[in-house]
Amino acid sequence: MENIKTLIVKFDGTILDREIPQFRGAVIAAAGGNLLFHNHQGDGYRYSYPLIQYKKIGRNPAIVCIGAGVESIGKLFENGNFTFDIGGNVREMEIVSVKANKTNVQLWNSTFNYSLRHWLALNPENYKIYNSLTLMTDKITLLEKILKGNILSFLKGMDIFIDGELECSISNLSSPYVLRYKGVGLTAFNVDFVCNLSIPHLIGLGKNAALGFGVLSAGRV
């Protein structure tokens, strides 16, 4: 069993999905370039699960901090600068809510219902495999394998070892749709699934988890 702290900071105003990368850049500037805020190190990338993630919750811009990211958010609060330049549009924001949680990340004999919004499941190789499959059952099996891998990547990034078999089963799957990121079309899904692992609310899973993709929540989409 591992207790993982999360902190969800929600700001006033509204944000569009395509503005989340710009919101991230503005927060990084306001926080003074702290490593965990941008997941880069020197000239390279910090190849680990992102501990500070930028999202749209409802219509509001939000930051989700996980583990060590909870302590790092103090850099932003210390500066007290919530004036963010989002794509040339300067916005003075106020924090409307701060919610702290702890989750016992562990395997259980029972299962939990989850949903993923804007899940980027397919890399180029898996995209070809997915499109080559004709039976929906085979496509779901592939996506369940990828989902399990995404969850295991989260656990690895948090230095959590589970002693037992992780089980994931997709119960509802949207048709694939295209989202644009940096001018590139990305295939996304909305899914409902059940899993025998307790997972923190509103973390990201899959590709670009730090930028509002693959947002996990309890219950159905």
Side-chain angles (χ1 to χ4, degrees):
M1 181 178 69
E2 190 78 25
N3 279 319
I4 297 298
K5 294 188 293 183
T6 58
L7 190 73
I8 302 167
V9 182
K10 188 162 66 172
F11 295 87
D12 64 352
T14 62
I15 194 170
L16 302 175
D17 288 332
R18 59 179 172 81
E19 293 177 320
I20 293 176
Q22 298 166 348
F23 171 60
R24 169 182 175 270
V27 172
I28 291 168
N34 182 282
L35 169 62
L36 293 183
F37 277 85
H38 55 76
N39 224 41
H40 286 74
Q41 189 165 15
D43 294 330
Y45 193 77
R46 174 182 173 271
Y47 286 102
S48 188
Y49 183 78
L51 302 182
I52 294 183
Q53 303 177 2
Y54 307 85
K55 306 179 189 292
K56 182 176 74 172
I57 298 178
R59 300 179 64 188
N60 300 94
I63 303 172
V64 175
C65 310
I66 306 158
V70 174
E71 284 72 36
S72 292
I73 195 68
K75 296 291 184 182
L76 182 64
F77 292 153
E78 284 175 10
N79 292 341
N81 178 16
F82 306 133
T83 300
F84 301 135
D85 184 346
I86 302 177
N89 181 13
V90 178
R91 308 183 192 180
E92 294 185 6
M93 295 186 180
E94 293 184 1
I95 295 174
V96 294
S97 68
V98 177
K99 294 183 179 179
N101 294 292
K102 278 187 179 180
T103 303
N104 294 330
V105 179
Q106 66 176 82
L107 293 176
W108 299 79
N109 292 327
S110 56
T111 58
F112 301 88
N113 293 319
Y114 297 107
S115 66
L116 275 179
R117 180 177 61 87
H118 297 343
W119 180 41
L120 303 180
L122 303 174
N123 60 25
E125 180 181 352
N126 286 330
Y127 181 79
K128 293 179 182 178
I129 296 173
Y130 180 87
N131 284 333
S132 71
L133 299 173
T134 56
L135 296 177
M136 181 55 65
T137 52
D138 291 337
K139 292 185 175 184
I140 290 175
T141 298
L142 173 64
L143 291 175
E144 287 175 340
K145 180 180 178 181
I146 294 168
L147 175 58
K148 185 176 179 179
N150 288 169
I151 295 172
L152 290 174
S153 293
F154 156 70
L155 294 174
K156 182 179 179 181
M158 301 303 300
D159 292 323
I160 297 174
F161 173 77
I162 55 172
D163 186 13
E165 182 66 25
L166 176 66
E167 299 175 359
C168 296
S169 178
I170 292 175
S171 55
N172 189 47
L173 175 68
S174 74
S175 298
Y177 58 96
V178 175
L179 294 173
R180 302 203 69 81
Y181 174 65
K182 293 185 177 180
V184 178
L186 302 173
T187 300
F189 299 88
N190 292 334
V191 301
D192 300 330
F193 68 98
V194 295
C195 182
N196 64 336
L197 183 78
S198 44
I199 311 173
H201 184 55
L202 293 179
I203 69 162
L205 294 176
K207 187 176 180 181
N208 290 338
L211 293 171
F213 294 94
V215 180
L216 180 140
S217 60
R220 295 181 178 274
V221 175

